[in-house]
Amino acid sequence: RIAGDIKEEYPDIQVDTLAYRYTRKPPKSIVPADNVIIRLCSVECSFAHGLDDADCEENAAFAKTIEDWAKVSDKLYIWDYTTDFAHYLAPYPNLHILWDNVRFFKDHNVVGIHEQGNYQAYSGEFGELRGYLLAKLLWNPDMTKERYFELMDEFLQDYYGKGWHYIREYIDRTAEKAARSHMHLDDHPEKYLPLVKEEDRAFAKEMTGLWEKALAAADSKEYRDHVRKSRIQDEYYNLYMDFDGQVERNQALLESLREFGIDYHCESWAWKMAESMDRTIEP
């Protein structure tokens, strides 16, 4: 009704509405007006797998939804999610499926995409790399997957220096492990990177070792700082999974957050808020 009311006076204006959670599926008897944008949100999806993964039940349901919207709307936009909003600082191994998802959107008549990541603070994970790759994909969604991974490697070399290949190994292996389960936009890291079995603990130790090798290979302060900043994800994960009694190690992590200007550890809470509250409590 709103779109109809403004159409004559504002013929160039589009009305944007969300297909989000309870409004995700198309209505049975209403077709969007030609000046209405349907912005479909991928909120229920598993980001350990590509949206085109028919073996992933959650993503298969989303694929059906996007196909249904494409039948009734030629102004289909996407609100996509690319981080763990409950744990900004945790590893979020979705870099392997970004190409798949952008290509999936293009192949399903999507004409606009909003990629939402950590919008509140500097990244202690791979925010810089993820932003770079998404920008390249949105500019050229027709690039090959081989070119996508070439761009990843080029960024890693330029950003981390000589130890970049250790970080690429970390990216590949954490993605492979996360793909054995599901990974949503607000999961706790133990869901997709469990630390229960002995093999899990051995894996976590190897991942920390890759960061140590990358840091040792960095041959300038700039490279070392980039490695240290991105390595926060590994330290956060290890401390999150084994928090008790590690006062000095937790304090060191806090100092790293201060050093790199990282204020938020999740969407709804900044660690500075907690620090401020602590100071107001009488002993």
Side-chain angles (χ1 to χ4, degrees):
R1 289 196 299 268
I2 293 171
D5 288 345
I6 71 169
K7 185 174 182 180
E8 184 175 349
E9 187 174 358
Y10 302 101
D12 297 326
I13 296 297
Q14 307 293 312
V15 177
D16 193 324
T17 187
L18 293 176
Y20 179 72
R21 295 198 185 275
Y22 72 92
T23 63
R24 195 187 84 182
K25 295 181 180 180
K28 294 180 179 179
S29 59
I30 303 172
V31 176
D34 59 9
N35 61 335
V36 170
I37 293 169
I38 299 298
R39 190 177 295 274
L40 178 61
C41 304
S42 58
V43 65
E44 297 96 348
C45 294
S46 172
F47 299 104
H49 313 110
L51 296 174
D52 59 349
D53 187 345
D55 294 328
C56 176
E57 185 175 336
E58 297 166 1
N59 291 357
F62 183 81
K64 176 66 166 58
T65 300
I66 198 172
E67 289 166 1
D68 290 344
W69 275 116
K71 293 174 184 176
V72 298
S73 175
D74 62 357
K75 292 184 174 66
L76 184 56
Y77 284 52
I78 294 293
W79 189 309
D80 193 28
Y81 304 93
T82 66
T83 191
D84 186 337
F85 292 91
H87 292 275
Y88 280 153
L89 302 180
Y92 197 67
N94 68 340
L95 294 167
H96 275 241
I97 57 91
L98 296 180
W99 180 91
D100 304 78
N101 289 356
V102 171
R103 177 60 65 90
F104 173 85
F105 294 140
K106 183 177 185 296
D107 290 345
H108 285 78
N109 301 319
V110 169
V111 295
I113 303 176
H114 168 59
E115 298 284 9
Q116 184 181 8
N118 172 1
Y119 59 93
Q120 293 167 294
Y122 289 115
S123 176
E125 192 237 5
F126 286 126
E128 297 84 1
L129 171 62
R130 189 176 290 105
Y132 174 80
L133 292 173
L134 285 169
K136 292 291 188 180
L137 282 169
L138 295 180
W139 186 260
N140 178 21
D142 294 315
M143 75 168 65
T144 65
K145 198 164 191 176
E146 290 75 19
R147 179 56 183 154
Y148 172 79
F149 282 109
E150 286 175 2
L151 289 169
M152 178 186 290
D153 288 348
E154 290 172 9
F155 181 97
L156 294 174
Q157 292 176 60
D158 290 344
Y159 192 71
Y160 297 110
K162 292 180 179 179
W164 72 272
H165 52 92
Y166 296 116
I167 297 174
R168 174 61 195 271
E169 181 181 349
Y170 173 89
I171 290 170
D172 293 344
R173 293 180 64 187
T174 52
E176 180 183 4
K177 188 173 181 67
R180 298 173 192 168
S181 57
H182 292 288
M183 186 172 72
H184 304 96
L185 57 80
D186 56 359
D187 276 341
H188 300 304
E190 69 266 22
K191 182 169 183 181
Y192 50 89
L193 292 176
L195 198 61
V196 178
K197 302 177 182 178
E198 185 60 37
E199 64 186 61
D200 296 331
R201 289 187 283 272
F203 178 84
K205 188 174 181 179
E206 289 179 36
M207 295 304 97
T208 297
L210 290 173
W211 283 107
E212 291 173 350
K213 291 176 181 178
L215 185 60
D219 57 358
S220 74
K221 183 180 185 305
E222 181 181 25
Y223 289 144
R224 285 192 296 274
D225 283 348
H226 290 168
V227 174
R228 289 176 56 234
K229 184 166 177 277
S230 298
R231 185 187 178 177
I232 285 172
Q233 63 186 294
D234 184 67
E235 184 66 354
Y236 177 86
Y237 169 78
N238 287 320
L239 286 169
Y240 174 81
M241 301 297 279
D242 185 18
F243 180 83
D244 292 342
Q246 302 202 60
V247 177
E248 292 183 3
R249 196 171 172 185
N250 277 286
Q251 186 63 40
L253 176 61
L254 182 61
E255 292 304 321
S256 293
L257 298 181
R258 287 196 181 104
E259 177 183 356
F260 293 112
I262 299 170
D263 294 335
Y264 278 79
H265 60 84
C266 66
E267 185 176 28
S268 59
W269 198 256
W271 62 262
K272 286 187 175 181
M273 296 178 188
E275 190 176 65
S276 176
M277 288 174 64
D278 286 346
R279 283 198 297 266
T280 66
I281 299 174
E282 293 296 328

